[in-house]
């Protein structure tokens, strides 16, 4: 098992990564003397697949544990679901001394985190990510949130968990597209970190996909360590933390424009491609480097497909992105592996060029622009 410490003064916590380590849950809760009243926010799919595993570990805790089950869809990442959690908590008389445990992917984790940060003005919570994407990204760093109308994650908070357990055994039941989504976020770290990790990822894409345990643990812990170091320096995303949004300005807009036919991690892969084309158009990388940096993404070419795209709508969605101010769209771009530039503005023409080429890589045929 690997342990990574996220340094945030009195809000510091540990992320445990390993195979079969869900069985340490009760032990860690007792050791940290966390609140005694447990409430589980559980992904419905995980409940179906792992009820015995969950039951046997939760029985170790000994007290009554209540559970709410959530079907993980972006539509359910809503005020309505949040209200259901508050209602269930109140009906069972939970108050300040509550420990919320999120068991599921990024959708369940983001909602559970927001519920924890707001119920009774903030109660303790733990993240147990059961998707690869949640393990390398959403479960660490304390961003919580829900969607409102069609704006993603627009209501939320920064609120850190007490600890995170990444049990890689959960990933065995993930659908191929969910593994691909996790890989999308992992690829992001390949560009953010250094050449050693970039080359390691490039060589091991198949091994990650096939869940070779030592590769998986190494990749997850490296990504978590990198994210943790950034979050320690800039918890509330005033500057440096923005690097973690590489590809995401494009990705969020593409996700919404495609009405979520593309999953978040898949949209991130397309979004990184668009960002690389924009970096090239703005003269940050030359054509040779563009080809080199695009090479890991090309492997996903046949697996992600986009038929048509509405450029005007994409631009409108980007302008609504909470990271943008005063009608200006800001991008995170790449100068080289490990050399990232934040807050770059671009003309409409350059944005369209990047969308056309980036999305073009994943288009089933000549892309139809609406
Ligand atoms: N808070 C953050 O910093 C942050 C970062 C990145 C992404 N996100 C958010 O995370 C969400 C995406 O998360 P996700 O990719 O985990 O998606 P998700 O939560 O929708 O899970 C994907 C699917 O996998 C299923 N599932 C979960 N665990 C499973 C398992 N072990 N076996 C089989 N199926 C399983 C779920 O039921 C769901 O159908 C988005 O809403 C995104 O905005 C948040």
């Amino acid at each position: 098992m690997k342990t990574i410490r996220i340094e945030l003064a009195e809000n510091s916590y540990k992320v445990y990564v390993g195979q079969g380590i869900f069985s340490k849950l009760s032990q860690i809760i007792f050791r940290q003397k966390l609140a005694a009243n447990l409430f589980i926010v559980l992904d419905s799919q995980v409940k179906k697949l792992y009820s015995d595993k969950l039951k046997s570990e939760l029985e170790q805790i000994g007290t009554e544990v209540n559970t709410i089950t959530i079907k993980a869809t972006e539509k359910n990442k809503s005020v309505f679901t949040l209200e259901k959690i508050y209602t269930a908590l109140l009906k069972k008389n939970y108050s300040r001394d509550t420990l919320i445990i999120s068991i599921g992917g990024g959708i369940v984790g983001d909602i559970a985190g927001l519920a924890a940060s707001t119920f009774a003005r903030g109660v303790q919570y733990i993240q147990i990510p059961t998707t690869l994407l949640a393990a390398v990204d959403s479960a660490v760093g304390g961003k919580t949130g829900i969607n409102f109308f069609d704006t993603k994650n627009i209501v939320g908070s920064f609120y850190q968990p007490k600890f995170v357990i990444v049990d890689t055994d959960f990933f065995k039941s993930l659908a191929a597209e969910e593994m691909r989504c996790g890989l999308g976020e992992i690829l992001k770290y390949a560009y953010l970190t250094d050449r050693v990790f970039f080359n390691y990822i490039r060589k091991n894409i198949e091994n990650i996909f096939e869940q070779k345990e030592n590769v998986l643990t190494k990749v997850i812990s490296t990504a978590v360590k990198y994210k943790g170091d950034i979050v320690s320096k800039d918890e509330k995303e005033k500057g440096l933390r923005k690097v973690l949004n590489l590809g995401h300005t494009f990705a969020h807009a593409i996700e919404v424009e495609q009405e979520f036919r593309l999953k978040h991690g898949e949209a991130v892969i397309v979004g990184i491609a668009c960002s690389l084309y924009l970096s090239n158009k703005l003269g940050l990388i030359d054509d040779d480097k563009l080809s080199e940096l695009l090479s890991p993404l090309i492997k996903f070419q046949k697996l992600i497909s986009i038929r048509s795209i509405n450029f005007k709508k994409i631009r409108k969605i980007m302008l609504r992105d909470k990271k943008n101010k005063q009608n200006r769209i800001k991008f995170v771009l790449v100068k080289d592996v490990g050399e990232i530039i934040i807050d770059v503005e671009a003309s409409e023409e350059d944005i369209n060029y990047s969308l056309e080429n980036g999305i073009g890589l994943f288009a089933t045929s000549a892309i139809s622009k609406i």
Side-chain angles (χ1 to χ4, degrees), residues 43-46 49-50 70-74 77 104-110 130-134 137-145 147 152-153 169-175 178 181-182 185 227 241 248 252 255 263-265:
D43 182 302
S44 58
Q45 198 58 16
V46 176
L49 293 161
Y50 296 100
I70 292 170
K71 188 169 166 23
T73 60
E74 287 292 341
K77 198 173 167 184
I107 290 188
V108 165
D110 279 9
T130 59
T131 65
L132 181 58
L133 182 139
D137 207 352
S138 61
V140 178
K143 272 193 189 175
T144 80
N147 307 327
K152 275 208 61 162
N153 302 331
D169 272 347
F170 279 118
F171 307 153
K172 301 227 159 69
S173 50
L174 285 176
E178 299 305 338
C181 284
E185 293 288 359
K227 181 164 184 180
R241 187 169 176 168
H248 282 60
H252 279 159
E255 238 180 310
K263 300 222 45 152
H264 177 72

Side-chain angles (χ1 to χ4, degrees), residues 18-169:
Q19 191 173 17
I21 62 170
F22 179 70
S23 60
K24 297 197 181 301
L25 175 68
S26 52
Q27 202 184 309
I28 305 171
I29 291 176
F30 289 133
R31 200 168 61 217
Q32 291 200 13
K33 300 189 176 64
L34 297 182
N37 301 311
L38 268 59
F39 184 84
I40 318 267
V41 183
L42 178 63
D43 182 302
S44 58
Q45 198 58 16
V46 176
K47 182 183 180 182
K48 235 189 262 164
L49 293 161
Y50 296 100
S51 65
D52 290 346
K53 175 169 166 145
L54 300 180
K55 206 169 152 227
S56 71
E57 183 54 26
L58 293 171
E59 271 171 9
Q60 305 291 320
I61 294 165
T63 52
E64 192 196 337
V65 178
N66 291 292
T67 302
I68 189 167
T69 306
I70 292 170
K71 188 169 166 23
T73 60
E74 287 292 341
K75 211 168 159 226
N76 282 348
K77 198 173 167 184
S78 63
V79 169
F80 181 63
T81 305
L82 197 61
E83 192 184 327
K84 282 214 276 200
I85 298 175
Y86 295 147
T87 309
L89 285 162
L90 277 177
K91 271 194 179 155
K92 294 283 180 184
N93 295 321
Y94 282 87
S95 56
R96 280 250 164 96
D97 51 352
T98 297
L99 173 63
I100 291 182
I101 306 179
S102 159
I103 309 178
I107 290 188
V108 165
D110 279 9
I111 308 173
L114 182 56
S117 80
T118 47
F119 185 74
R121 296 210 174 87
V123 298
Q124 298 175 338
Y125 82 115
I126 295 167
Q127 287 277 18
I128 305 190
T130 59
T131 65
L132 181 58
L133 182 139
V136 293
D137 207 352
S138 61
V140 178
K143 272 193 189 175
T144 80
I146 53 167
N147 307 327
F148 198 70
F149 289 117
D150 61 358
T151 306
K152 275 208 61 162
N153 302 331
I154 190 68
V155 177
S157 61
F158 289 97
Y159 194 65
Q160 303 296 337
K162 288 292 163 195
F163 65 87
V164 181
I165 290 181
V166 180
D167 178 350
T168 54
D169 272 347

Side-chain angles (χ1 to χ4, degrees), residues 145-301:
I146 53 167
N147 307 327
F148 198 70
F149 289 117
D150 61 358
T151 306
K152 275 208 61 162
N153 302 331
I154 190 68
V155 177
S157 61
F158 289 97
Y159 194 65
Q160 303 296 337
K162 288 292 163 195
F163 65 87
V164 181
I165 290 181
V166 180
D167 178 350
T168 54
D169 272 347
F170 279 118
F171 307 153
K172 301 227 159 69
S173 50
L174 285 176
E177 63 170 356
E178 299 305 338
M179 281 303 291
R180 202 148 60 227
C181 284
L183 262 162
E185 293 288 359
I186 287 171
L187 279 168
K188 177 186 82 180
Y189 291 104
Y191 295 98
L192 298 182
T193 50
D194 52 41
R195 283 268 162 201
V196 177
F197 195 53
F198 182 81
N199 290 331
Y200 185 82
I201 296 290
R202 200 155 55 159
K203 262 195 230 140
N204 282 289
I205 288 181
E206 278 78 21
N207 286 332
I208 299 169
F209 201 74
E210 283 157 19
Q211 303 195 26
K212 214 168 165 197
E213 186 53 37
N214 60 336
V215 176
L216 206 54
T217 308
K218 180 185 160 98
V219 163
I220 295 169
S221 43
T222 308
V224 167
K225 169 94 178 64
Y226 178 83
K227 181 164 184 180
D229 288 348
I230 298 279
V231 170
S232 302
K233 290 181 192 131
D234 178 21
E235 184 186 2
K236 305 270 165 77
E237 201 168 292
K238 300 246 160 30
L240 181 67
R241 187 169 176 168
K242 291 182 190 171
V243 299
L244 296 171
N245 297 324
L246 174 65
H248 282 60
T249 301
F250 285 112
H252 279 159
I254 293 167
E255 238 180 310
V256 174
E257 194 275 342
Q258 293 284 301
E259 291 169 348
F260 298 109
R261 280 188 297 275
L262 222 63
K263 300 222 45 152
H264 177 72
E266 294 176 324
V268 169
I269 294 175
V270 182
I272 294 174
C274 295
S275 308
L276 292 173
Y277 275 105
L278 187 55
S279 305
N280 173 253
K281 190 79 173 42
L282 298 184
L284 296 171
I285 51 177
D286 62 22
D287 291 353
D288 287 344
K289 194 165 273 174
L290 174 67
S291 305
E292 186 213 355
L293 297 184
L294 282 172
S295 64
L297 307 176
I298 302 284
K299 299 199 175 192
F300 296 86
Q301 235 174 351

